[in-house]
C-alpha cells in the first residue's frame, strides 16, 4: 500500500519539478534578453556621447572663428 502511495506522490512531484524547470528556463531567457538590451542601450549611449562631444567641439571652434572674425 505504501509503495503505491509513494509512486503516486513521485509521479505528482515529477510534473511539479518539470513545471519549475521550464519556468526557470523561461526566466533565464528573459533575463538574458534584458541584459542584452541594456548592453545595446549602453553602446548607443556611448555613441551619442561621442557625437555630442564632437558637435560641442565644432560649435566651440565656430564660435572662436566668429570671434576672431569680428576682431
Amino acid at each position: 500500500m505504501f509503495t503505491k502511495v509513494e509512486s503516486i506522490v513521485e509521479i505528482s512531484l515529477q510534473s511539479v519539478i518539470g513545471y519549475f524547470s521550464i519556468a526557470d528556463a523561461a526566466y533565464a531567457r528573459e533575463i538574458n534578453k534584458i541584459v542584452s538590451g541594456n548592453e545595446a542601450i549602453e553602446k548607443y549611449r556611448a555613441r551619442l556621447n561621442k557625437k555630442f562631444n564632437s558637435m560641442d567641439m565644432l560649435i566651440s571652434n565656430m564660435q572662436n572663428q566668429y570671434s576672431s572674425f569680428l576682431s
Side-chain angles (χ1 to χ4, degrees):
M1 171 107 170
F2 287 116
T3 56
K4 191 172 186 177
V5 171
E6 181 184 10
S7 67
I8 291 172
V9 169
E10 284 181 5
I11 291 170
S12 298
L13 287 178
Q14 287 175 356
S15 64
V16 172
I17 291 170
Y19 168 77
F20 285 118
S21 65
I22 291 171
D24 187 45
Y27 291 139
R29 283 192 302 272
E30 290 300 316
I31 289 170
N32 287 336
K33 286 180 188 178
I34 292 169
V35 168
S36 296
N38 284 341
E39 289 171 355
I41 289 170
E42 285 301 316
K43 288 178 183 178
Y44 181 67
R45 186 176 76 79
R47 285 195 315 265
L48 287 179
N49 279 336
K50 187 176 179 181
K51 287 180 182 181
F52 179 79
N53 290 335
S54 296
M55 183 182 65
D56 197 32
M57 286 176 47
L58 287 173
I59 290 172
S60 177
N61 288 340
M62 288 172 49
Q63 287 175 337
N64 289 338
Q65 289 176 1
Y66 180 72
S67 295
S68 66
F69 177 73
L70 291 179
S71 300

